[in-house]
Amino acid sequence: MIGANQIIEKKKEFLLPSSHRNHFYANPPQIVKGSMQFLYDDQGKEYLDFFAGVSVMNCGHCNPEILEKTIQQMQTLQHTTIIYLTEEMVQLAEKLASVLPGDLRRSFFCCTGSEANEGAMLLARLYTGKNEFIALENGLHGRTYLTMSATGIPMWRADPDLSPKVHFAKTVWDSNTDLEQAAKASIESIKEIIQARGANHIAALIAEPIQGNGGIITPPAWYFKELKQLLEDNGILLIIDEVQTGFARTGKMFAIEHYDVVPDIMTVAKALGNGMPISAFCTTDEVAKAFTKPSASTLGGNPVSSATALAVLDYIEKYELCETAAHLGEMLKEGLIALQAKYSLIKDVRGIGLMLGAELVKEDGQPASEETDVILEKLKDRGIIVGKNGLNRNVLAFQPPLVITEANVQTLLHELDEVLAELQ
Ligand code: PMP
């Protein structure tokens, strides 16, 4: 093993120079092993993982039941899906259709969330014959040209010359107003864009049901219903990006189900493969007809990723991970709200299921970004990994594998309580 310092040196020498800026820690641990909700570093230290690689490992690290299917498939066949017939991808497509909301039932498989969103935006263009988009501030949709153009978080917009075809509307959150007002302002700003550009130019609006990297921004119950109606009235499609929220994370298979809305196109990635690269954009019979050229990707839905994803969907159902996320999410949220009453640093606790955020703000109203880093570091030293997000990187993010226990939630709350007390 080369060790943590050498990894950083090699990153600096052989990866893009900015790659080491992604770490959350002054001394990032070298993770060498994972087992369900636990990670282990090169020193043998155990960490309780409350971030799951940003909602990737919903079924836990190296889950043996899922791994068995992955390894079995690896030993049998790994191949492209384009030229020949392979069974796993269609089995997965059928299974996915059975859990997708409403009349969504057709999938195009690819490898990353960015690709799925890029494909979804292409499909919206093909179906509507229009080529402009609306996206929300604070949203994150990917690293390709168009998905980065639709990303409203400045730190993820690497290119100063992004597509002018994407128009940004207000998100449903504003630190100075309440959620209801902010959500109304968001709808108003979408209306203004539609009016300014003309409905005949806008193909789709793309949004996360709960903005993850934007700071666990959770709209009020009515928001997406009203939004869908507004878009429908104007012949604009709704693309819902479930890349971070999908697969039981929020207590339902997909977060948009909390809002009782069926989008025209939905994208999935991350947790679908529980660590194996697989993603998809999913749509209705009607919208799918617009894609008339050959539709496949070299390794999208490859046999190994598909067999893994099938095992993931079976595991979520067999072990009732939606129920776990709902139940433990409620318990964690209650605990965080209790900490909020004790520590004024916690301004807001938000989210659904096991996708929760605690926004940290200083006495003078400024984002507590440095304090967030200190908390992350101290929790890591105590053997707990949590995430951070938000435009000012001042929102603690709790998105653990959905195989955690009540005792794990209590451990996290206890350690966080002590760390917050130390900070006072
Ligand atoms: N959409 C959302 C909501 C995401 O959180 C991410 C990744 N953080 C992406 C899209 C991009 O996914 P990928 O990194 O797999 O391209």
Side-chain angles (χ1 to χ4, degrees), residues 54 112-114 117 140-143 208 213 241 243-244 270:
V54 204
T112 67
S114 304
N117 283 331
L140 188 148
H141 299 293
R143 291 159 239 283
E208 296 157 81
N213 287 55
D241 174 345
V243 168
Q244 203 172 133
K270 291 189 192 272

Side-chain angles (χ1 to χ4, degrees), residues 361-368:
V361 176
K362 293 192 279 202
E363 298 277 296
D364 63 2
Q366 291 303 306

Side-chain angles (χ1 to χ4, degrees), residues 17 52-53 80 103 172 212 219 224 231 243 258 260 265 290 331 399:
T80 170
D103 49 357
V172 297
F224 277 107
L231 297 178
V243 168
H258 291 285
D260 207 13
I265 308 174
M331 186 177 167
Q399 297 165 247

